């Protein structure tokens, strides 16, 4: 299908109501085609919207409302876009293969349906129940009323994380990523249609100054970003950071077809743009042999326009794609790009329309402390490094998801004792694997809620005279 040539318009949403702005931005596809006009919120309006969100009665949506919203997200025409039109528009602007948006429709719907059960599973035992008169116990209470969300553009599914906050009773003010305002706008439209109170939901596209104003005005903030976000907000205790994943695999067994399947899936799933995509593989074996085998497979991923069902890698404007690969080359620090020989016309696939696909990179390193293990880029890029047991988990620190490929439960338990490794998977499980209520980077609700003591005196009814 083809999106209409008339520019799609994304207004501001203040307490659920659309609003126009004098400041607007033209949003183009990765091929340079103008596709949308986005209304932008200045910092002052951001502060006023947070203040407006605080008004209105408590109306935390229940599980059925959220389930219905997920169903609408996946199936309904919202904001004038059918599911198919939304997927194509999101793909063309964000440069993410349209297949990612299409399966995200169902992924998001599933997350909506399960958020009620998830919040119950996350709540510590003994908190949140009714407290009888005369009893002093504990309740689970919010740390604030308004949560600002500084969102990314890398994957539609990322936005499901802030659903937990809504289920906990927070009013949300979302500043979307520059390349994907479509997903949060669609989610909010589905939530409003399902019956969420309008003052619980606002959408404010804007600049870094707008993001700063939201972080300053809100009670708490959920901020997605890389090292720059860490430097900008890392000292603010009211900010919950969701930064680079730097997810990894530790390979200790033989190199089998299954081994390669799991590693390649971990690197390339969803075009390599998830925080749980693997960016480093440590191996007890010969890293050169493993790197060559991975390059043989990953180099086959197809570069095509993002709206094509064949697309398997991210697409950027040609100049941006060339700059990103030049940036990678500048940080190789002696590592060898073993995919280079497999790309006769270079690592950037010029698609002939002003855009380019980012072909996968496999970098072979000669030491476990190579700085490449901490580099995360927005396409399938993996560093292969040697590892010895005597080194322990020092080289694997600061990892969101770690898969250990080998039948070694003791090693997995040792990895759990390294606090900077946030999830450990043992066996042939890709790094993005997750359970319905498993933590992502800890439980978000544990950042948003806290246990407080509460009690009442016994009720002593008046005696008749």
């Amino acid at each position: 299908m083809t999106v209409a040539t008339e520019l799609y318009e994304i207004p501001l949403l203040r307490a659920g109501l659309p609003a126009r702005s004098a400041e607007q931005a033209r949003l183009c596809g990765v091929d340079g085609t103008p596709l949308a006009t986005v209304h932008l919120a200045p910092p002052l309006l951001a502060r006023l919207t947070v203040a407006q969100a605080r008004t209105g009665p408590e109306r935390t949506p229940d599980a059925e409302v959220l389930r219905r919203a997920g169903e609408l997200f996946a199936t309904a025409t919202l904001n004038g876009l059918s599911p198919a039109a939304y997927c194509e528009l999101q793909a063309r602007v964000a440069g993410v293969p349209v297949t990612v948006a299409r399966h995200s429709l169902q992924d998001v719907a599933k997350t909506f349906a399960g958020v009620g059960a998830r919040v119950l599973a996350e709540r510590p035992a003994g908190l949140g129940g009714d407290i009888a008169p005369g009893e002093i116990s504990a309740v689970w209470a919010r740390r604030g009323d308004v949560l600002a969300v500084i969102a990314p553009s890398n994957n539609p599914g990322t936005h499901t994380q802030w659903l937990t906050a809504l289920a906990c009773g927070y009013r949300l003010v979302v500043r979307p990523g520059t390349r994907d305002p479509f997903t949060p706008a669609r989610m909010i439209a589905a939530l409003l249609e399902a019956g969420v109170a309008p003052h619980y939901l606002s959408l404010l596209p804007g600049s870094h100054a707008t993001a700063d104003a939201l972080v300053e005005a809100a009670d708490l903030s959920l901020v997605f970003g890389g090292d720059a976000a860490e430097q900008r907000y890392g000292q603010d205790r009211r900010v919950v950071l969701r930064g680079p994943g730097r997810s990894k695999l530790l390979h200790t067994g033989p190199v089998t077809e299954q081994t390669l399947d799991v590693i390649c899936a971990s690197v390339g799933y969803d075009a390599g743009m998830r925080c749980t995509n693997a960016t480093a593989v440590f191996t007890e074996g010969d890293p050169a042999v493993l790197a060559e085998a991975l390059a043989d497979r990953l180099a086959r991923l197809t570069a095509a326009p993002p709206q094509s069902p064949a697309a398997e890698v991210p697409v950027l404007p040609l100049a941006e794609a060339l700059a990103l690969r030049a940036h990678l080359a500048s940080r190789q620090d002696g590592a060898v790009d073993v995919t280079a020989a497999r790309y006769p016309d270079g690592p950037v696939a010029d698609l002939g329309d002003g855009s380019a696909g980012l072909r996968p990179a496999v970098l072979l390193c000669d030491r476990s402390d190579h700085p490449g293990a901490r580099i995360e880029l927005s396409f399938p890029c993996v560093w292969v490094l040697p590892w010895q047991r005597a080194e322990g988990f020092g080289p694997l620190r600061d990892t969101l998801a770690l898969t250990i490929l080998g039948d070694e439960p003791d090693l997995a338990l040792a990895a759990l004792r390294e606090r900077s490794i946030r999830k450990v998977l043992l066996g042939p499980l890709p790094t993005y694997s997750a359970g319905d209520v498993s933590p992502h980077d800890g439980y978000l609700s544990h950042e948003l809620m806290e246990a407080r003591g509460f009690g009442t005196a016994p009720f002593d009814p008046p005696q008749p005279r």
Side-chain angles (χ1 to χ4, degrees), residues 128-151:
D130 294 331
I131 298 176
E135 179 184 2
I136 299 175
S137 186
V139 294
W140 209 32
R142 292 194 309 271
R143 293 178 55 207
D145 294 316
V146 179
L147 178 75
V149 180
I150 312 304

Side-chain angles (χ1 to χ4, degrees), residues 33 58 60 86-87 100 111 125 141 175 182 263-264 267 302 323 349 387 416 425 437 439 445 451 464:
T33 302
E58 290 278 339
T60 301
Y86 150 72
C87 290
V100 176
T111 303
R175 197 219 70 168
F182 309 106
I263 297 175
C264 290
V267 174
T302 301
W387 180 80
L416 280 175
L425 301 166
V437 296
S445 61

